[in-house]
Amino acid sequence: MLKAMRYALFDEVTRSGKYLTGNNLTAIRDFYDVLAKNFPTKTIYYNITDENKQLSKSKRAVHLFEKMRNYLDQKGMKDVIPIKEYKKKFINLEAENNDPFPVEIDWEHCAGSSPKFRGYSCGLWTTFHALTVQAYKNGLNDSKFVPITPLVAIRNWVNNFFGCQHCREHFLRMTTQTFRMESQVHQPEDTFMYLWQVHNIVNARLRGQDTEDPEFPKRQFPPDFLCSTCRHEGYFNNEQVKDFLLIYYNAIRPFLGRK
């Protein structure tokens, strides 16, 4: 997730134009806010020591997310920020936080059978799911929690910065028209259950296409081998899926290399 976020926040944002202003400035500010509040910093991953359950790199990344959000707030949403200035601020904060993004390592569980498969897109989806699960958990103790807020921030980031144009167009059409976010998200758990449904719709559309990794075929998630109780007579049991997702996206495998 950290590797994907570095690409999303630096590479994708800085190639979007010469300036951050208007809608794209608001979009990146709101996405940083969701990251600062909801990016996981601990894990329930099995068979690791208590020390490693605290995700040290993620904690440093969250500090960067907070600082970038605060920097954008100080500039103001009516400002015009040159991309060069944004890049300099980001790079400086990376150094201050001991380079929290492991950009030189492989994609680990998001690695495809060849470099053209999975990787960044897998890391992006994984991060989105983890953010919405954590937002739900944080919202349980927040009477002002609005379940659609993290999803809108994700959608606006995709709309303004995601480099795959046809992916972006499909995502926007789905979340604004054919499976409209505003019509589907009402209860707190909808913040992550909606994204789960969206991802399965995308997987169904992409199954069998040339972007599909032959060693990791697109399937409806979760498959039976991950959750044997999530389906009943061929249909998903949403309560079982909900319980599964809450565990699955909290069991983040820690980066055990250089801290």
Side-chain angles (χ1 to χ4, degrees):
M1 294 194 299
L2 287 170
K3 183 171 182 173
M5 282 303 94
R6 209 287 181 172
Y7 192 86
L9 297 170
F10 189 80
D11 297 75
E12 297 271 53
V13 171
T14 59
R15 72 181 178 192
S16 63
K18 294 182 179 180
Y19 303 98
L20 291 173
T21 186
N23 289 340
N24 70 351
L25 177 56
T26 301
I28 192 59
R29 184 269 169 206
D30 290 348
F31 191 56
Y32 272 119
D33 189 52
V34 170
L35 288 166
K37 293 175 179 176
N38 303 300
F39 195 84
T41 58
K42 58 184 178 180
T43 182
I44 59 171
Y45 192 73
Y46 69 94
N47 198 30
I48 61 171
T49 64
D50 288 341
E51 176 188 3
N52 287 322
K53 288 180 180 178
Q54 300 297 319
L55 303 172
S56 59
K57 280 184 173 289
S58 295
K59 285 186 175 182
R60 299 202 303 272
V62 166
H63 190 252
L64 181 148
F65 301 150
E66 292 170 344
K67 291 288 187 179
M68 286 298 294
R69 177 198 59 198
N70 295 344
Y71 153 72
L72 295 173
D73 282 343
Q74 289 167 5
K75 299 293 288 187
M77 292 300 98
K78 294 183 179 180
D79 204 349
V80 177
I81 302 176
I83 286 295
K84 286 184 178 180
E85 180 183 330
Y86 173 92
K87 289 175 69 173
K88 182 178 179 181
K89 183 68 175 180
F90 190 97
I91 291 170
N92 287 344
L93 285 172
E94 273 189 306
E96 287 178 19
N97 289 281
N98 195 22
D99 297 319
F101 304 106
V103 293
E104 300 301 325
I105 67 168
D106 292 333
W107 284 105
E108 296 184 326
H109 79 277
C110 275
S113 60
S114 78
K116 69 178 182 178
F117 294 127
R118 305 183 82 224
Y120 173 55
S121 61
C122 168
L124 204 57
W125 273 115
T126 301
T127 306
F128 291 165
H129 287 299
L131 287 172
T132 54
V133 164
Q134 192 61 45
Y136 164 77
K137 291 177 63 181
N138 292 340
L140 292 175
N141 298 315
D142 182 1
S143 61
K144 297 181 180 179
F145 176 61
V146 180
I148 202 171
T149 297
L151 293 165
V152 170
I154 289 169
R155 182 173 66 190
N156 288 343
W157 178 87
V158 170
N159 184 32
N160 284 275
F161 301 110
F162 192 38
C164 173
Q165 182 177 348
H166 71 271
C167 306
R168 182 171 68 245
E169 291 171 351
H170 278 293
F171 187 81
L172 291 174
R173 187 180 306 116
M174 176 172 47
T175 58
T176 61
Q177 298 177 31
T178 58
F179 194 57
R180 188 170 176 264
M181 186 183 293
E182 287 78 2
S183 301
Q184 301 292 329
V185 179
H186 306 290
Q187 302 302 317
E189 62 268 24
D190 293 341
T191 196
F192 68 93
M193 292 295 286
Y194 172 80
L195 194 67
W196 161 68
Q197 292 174 291
V198 163
H199 199 172
N200 273 341
I201 292 171
V202 172
N203 281 345
R205 180 174 61 82
L206 296 179
R207 184 169 177 81
Q209 296 192 15
D210 56 6
T211 56
E212 182 180 45
D213 190 330
E215 293 189 16
F216 298 92
K218 301 289 184 184
R219 64 176 83 220
Q220 295 297 282
F221 188 87
D224 290 340
F225 69 84
L226 284 179
C227 181
S228 60
T229 62
C230 284
R231 284 182 174 86
H232 178 67
E233 296 181 351
Y235 295 94
F236 279 118
N237 180 321
N238 282 9
E239 284 301 313
Q240 292 292 322
V241 171
K242 173 185 171 182
D243 292 342
F244 168 81
L245 295 176
L246 286 171
I247 295 172
Y248 187 81
Y249 287 108
N250 276 284
I252 300 162
R253 186 167 64 182
F255 176 72
L256 298 178
R258 180 178 62 86
K259 295 184 179 180

